[in-house]
Amino acid sequence: MSLVTLLPFIVLIGAMFLMTRSAKKKQQQAANMRNEMQPGSGVRTIGGMYATVKEVNDDTVLLDAGPGVDLLFAKNSIGAVLTDDEYNRIVHGIEHDLKSDADVVPDDASSLTESDAATDAASDEQPVDLGKKDADDEPAGEPTADAAPAEAKTDEQAKKSDGGSEAK
């Protein structure tokens, strides 16, 4: 056999080796992460539930999911161990302000282009009603004389179209 015929097999075996090596590395990192869990750390399960670790055993983890709710999970079902800041941000909505000394950037450029007088004048204006209003809006009550013939015509047209379809 020549080298040209063996080359595709060598490349295939090399690719398989590299893929299994990277998968093994990911599995090892996940196992290390699960073994480093300590009581009090926040975790996310593979099902998406957030909880606090209460107790760690060899193959199981006892999680505190809320007041009076303790759940027993397999260690393999822990998807991620979260930092305290990340856990508090997701579960409790507490934002840790890392940029407390930084300048505040406005959401839009209007505050940079308008003057203070224009802003004050705009706030004193009446709110704009953007609701849809038809020209023939009438107050609630009895319909006018014009409305009754219009209703009769639409009923008559509906009867004609129903009758025509039944005749066929």
Side-chain angles (χ1 to χ4, degrees):
M1 283 206 218
S2 69
L3 183 62
V4 175
T5 57
L6 290 177
L7 188 62
F9 293 112
I10 294 171
V11 170
L12 184 63
I13 290 171
M16 288 174 50
F17 174 74
L18 290 175
M19 285 190 285
T20 57
R21 187 173 147 206
S22 66
K24 262 187 186 178
K25 188 183 269 189
K26 286 181 184 179
Q27 287 176 349
Q28 186 65 32
Q29 287 176 345
N32 288 341
M33 177 228 10
R34 290 181 186 116
N35 289 333
E36 293 175 2
M37 272 189 301
Q38 297 177 356
S41 55
V43 295
R44 181 185 68 234
T45 65
I46 58 174
M49 185 183 75
Y50 293 92
T52 305
V53 176
K54 195 170 187 180
E55 183 180 315
V56 180
N57 298 321
D58 290 339
D59 294 332
T60 60
V61 178
L62 186 65
L63 299 178
D64 181 20
V69 180
D70 294 336
L71 303 168
L72 187 65
F73 276 83
K75 254 189 182 179
N76 291 340
S77 66
I78 302 301
V81 177
L82 308 172
T83 63
D84 290 338
D85 289 338
E86 186 177 12
Y87 181 78
N88 287 331
R89 179 182 60 81
I90 293 170
V91 175
H92 303 295
I94 299 171
E95 292 286 334
H96 181 69
D97 191 14
L98 298 175
K99 300 179 182 180
S100 59
D101 297 332
D103 293 333
V104 177
V105 178
D107 289 340
D108 60 351
S110 63
S111 63
L112 301 174
T113 57
E114 292 180 355
S115 67
D116 291 337
T119 307
D120 292 340
S123 63
D124 293 338
E125 294 178 11
Q126 295 293 329
V128 178
D129 183 19
L130 299 176
K132 182 179 177 184
K133 293 184 180 179
D134 292 336
D136 25 293
D137 278 348
E138 297 176 11
E142 293 185 23
T144 60
D146 294 338
E151 289 175 7
K153 287 180 183 177
T154 56
D155 290 341
E156 190 176 311
Q157 289 174 351
K159 288 179 185 176
K160 284 182 182 178
S161 64
D162 290 341
S165 63
E166 290 176 8
K168 290 181 180 180

